[in-house]
Amino acid sequence: MALTPETIARHELNGLCVRVVSADSPDYVGIGGRVVSESEKTLSIRDGRDKRVPKSGTTFEFRLDATDEAAGPRKGAGTAGEHDRDPAAYVTVDGDRLLSRPARRTETTGDSPWR
């Protein structure tokens, strides 16, 4: 399954560029960098040094590089939009959708409440 804005919550997040758009604690807002590890309840983001950010109560913006030059940037539901002159798609994801063990989350085939 390809990594698209619609399927990002079912993929491995390690290595993706991310930025914290909003959070319950204002200390986390603005943290940005690469996801270096993920646990059930947190993301570790390398921003000069590794910072652990809770998934719950946090909104993340992930950067998806366009891999199909002919199709251009991928856009879909939940996409924050394109930044000036940047060919990547930016996808806004509520951290509560990411709450689960990474291995369990990537095995599921949808957002069904019947797991």
Side-chain angles (χ1 to χ4, degrees):
M1 173 180 6
L3 178 61
T4 66
E6 292 81 14
T7 63
I8 191 166
R10 296 190 324 250
H11 278 275
E12 179 71 34
L13 302 175
N14 290 344
L16 293 179
C17 289
V18 66
R19 184 173 65 95
V20 177
V21 180
S22 67
D24 289 344
S25 172
D27 296 336
Y28 295 118
V29 176
I31 292 175
R34 287 213 180 263
V35 177
V36 292
S37 70
E38 177 183 9
S39 69
E40 181 177 350
K41 297 181 182 180
T42 63
L43 287 180
S44 283
I45 301 171
R46 180 155 294 150
D47 180 24
R49 60 186 176 101
D50 291 355
K51 297 180 182 179
R52 279 217 171 294
V53 179
K55 293 177 182 177
S56 181
T58 306
T59 303
F60 299 97
E61 183 180 64
F62 291 93
R63 180 180 193 268
L64 301 181
D65 294 321
T67 57
D68 183 5
E69 291 80 17
R74 297 169 302 210
K75 296 185 70 100
T79 300
E82 295 177 52
H83 294 233
D84 293 339
R85 302 182 201 271
D86 191 349
Y90 288 81
V91 183
T92 304
V93 178
D94 183 6
D96 292 327
R97 287 191 59 211
L98 304 173
L99 281 173
S100 68
R101 289 186 7 239
R104 170 79 65 180
R105 190 186 74 243
T106 59
E107 290 171 357
T108 60
T109 59
D111 292 329
S112 171
W114 308 100
R115 298 191 196 263

